[in-house]
Amino acid sequence: MLVVSGATGHVGRELVAQLAAAGRPVRAVTRRPETLEVPAGVEVVRGDADEPAGLDAVFAGAERAFLMSSQAVGSAPRPTHVPALVAAAVRAGVSHLVLLSVYSGGEGDDAVAEWAGEVERAVVDSGVPSTLLRPGRFMSNALQWAPQIRRGDEVTIPFARRPAASVDPADVAAVAAVALTAATPGAVYQLSGPEALRPVDELAVLGELLGRPLRAVEPPLEDVRAGMIRGGFPEVVVDAILARTTDTEDGTEVLDTVERVVGRPPATFREWARRHREHFSSTTTPTTA
């Protein structure tokens, strides 16, 4: 049995579908099982890392597990979700863990690095063979623009001219599927898409597909910072994120990892956008992405 935590997320949902299509026994874990649509034969169970006592059943009988967490950096004094998942997986005798981490992992000396490093260490130091996935920016981040695009042609986008080699979540899932079904203990996969584009470039692609001229409006940095703080991020985390975005080239490099691991080139943003075009053109918000 293969366990996929965070099965309602973009990567988790794709991973469940890919494993099921390959005929693998899959247990999809989510805090909201009533909202999750899965292929026939997939077992859906409720699991909440904020309720560690209920996690033993999640991993019972599992051979390998994919771990991810939506716990925001700085939302607690230290990460709690992934350590709770790891502890339950260890108790269940899981033989291989695959972690969805962040692009730079624990590299650096800021609040983001400290948080990510502790999450990765919870897995690596667990005594269970593990694989780390470190993707850059997801192409699915563009879905945040969908409500604005459905309302009009002007889209507010922070850092609209900062390039990134964004990766399709389906390609991250494909690498995760290989890691779960093949022996890759100790591997660390840093992942990117096949091209470095700016958000304004991605918006232009969406405009072409929709047959509409779309215009990006880039808010001042101080407004972005204030908005993030209003959204609940601690100032030290906000400043770390902004410094990484404005002062480094993290995530801009085009890497060959997806093709090496999966055996095919990763999807382009245009290919991703074609598959998700209805999210930008519909008058109602689709239920999945």
Side-chain angles (χ1 to χ4, degrees):
M1 175 64 70
L2 305 176
V3 169
V4 177
S5 68
T8 54
H10 296 300
V11 175
R13 191 164 52 242
E14 291 279 2
L15 180 55
V16 167
Q18 292 180 26
L19 291 172
R24 299 283 184 168
V26 183
R27 180 180 297 154
V29 184
T30 174
R31 287 176 295 177
R32 302 179 302 278
E34 69 282 356
T35 68
L36 186 61
E37 295 183 7
V38 296
V42 173
E43 179 186 358
V44 179
V45 300
R46 184 181 185 278
D48 189 340
D50 283 326
E51 302 171 6
L55 294 178
D56 286 349
V58 166
F59 295 98
E63 178 186 0
R64 297 184 174 204
F66 171 81
L67 307 180
M68 66 157 292
S69 168
S70 59
Q71 187 176 28
V73 178
S75 59
R78 60 190 303 176
T80 59
H81 286 189
V82 168
L85 293 168
V86 170
V90 169
R91 289 193 298 271
V94 170
S95 64
H96 192 174
L97 299 173
V98 178
L99 174 70
L100 183 65
S101 185
V102 296
Y103 188 79
S104 297
E107 299 172 8
D109 58 2
D110 59 19
V112 173
E114 182 179 355
W115 183 278
E118 187 163 351
V119 168
E120 289 194 351
R121 285 192 296 274
V123 174
V124 174
D125 295 343
S126 67
V128 178
S130 60
T131 303
L132 304 181
L133 308 185
R134 293 178 173 176
R137 177 182 177 274
F138 288 155
M139 293 177 181
S140 53
N141 285 10
L143 291 170
Q144 299 170 359
W145 311 335
Q148 296 181 75
I149 291 174
R150 290 196 297 268
R151 289 195 302 267
D153 297 332
E154 188 173 278
V155 184
T156 300
I157 305 176
F159 313 114
R161 288 164 178 80
R162 202 271 192 188
S166 300
V167 62
D168 186 338
D171 289 330
V172 178
V175 174
V178 171
L180 280 172
T181 57
T184 57
V188 178
Y189 294 130
Q190 201 165 32
L191 307 172
S192 83
E195 56 192 346
L197 298 177
R198 302 169 301 168
V200 291
D201 301 322
E202 295 178 343
L203 192 65
V205 170
L206 290 170
E208 290 175 20
L209 292 176
L210 297 172
R212 296 164 47 197
L214 301 176
R215 184 174 71 259
V217 176
E218 186 170 6
L221 189 60
E222 56 269 24
D223 291 354
V224 175
R225 184 178 188 276
M228 294 175 70
I229 292 172
R230 285 195 303 272
F233 285 95
E235 289 192 41
V236 65
V237 174
V238 171
D239 290 340
I241 293 172
L242 295 183
R244 284 168 174 252
T245 305
T246 58
D247 300 340
T248 77
E249 295 184 353
D250 282 1
T252 61
E253 184 180 1
V254 174
L255 306 170
D256 67 351
T257 315
V258 171
E259 187 163 10
R260 280 194 294 107
V261 175
V262 179
R264 59 162 176 76
T268 66
F269 181 79
R270 184 177 295 274
E271 290 167 336
W272 175 89
R274 283 199 192 101
R275 296 203 318 271
H276 298 279
R277 176 176 175 170
E278 71 277 8
H279 293 270
F280 301 94
S281 59
S282 175
T283 57
T284 59
T285 305
T287 57
T288 61

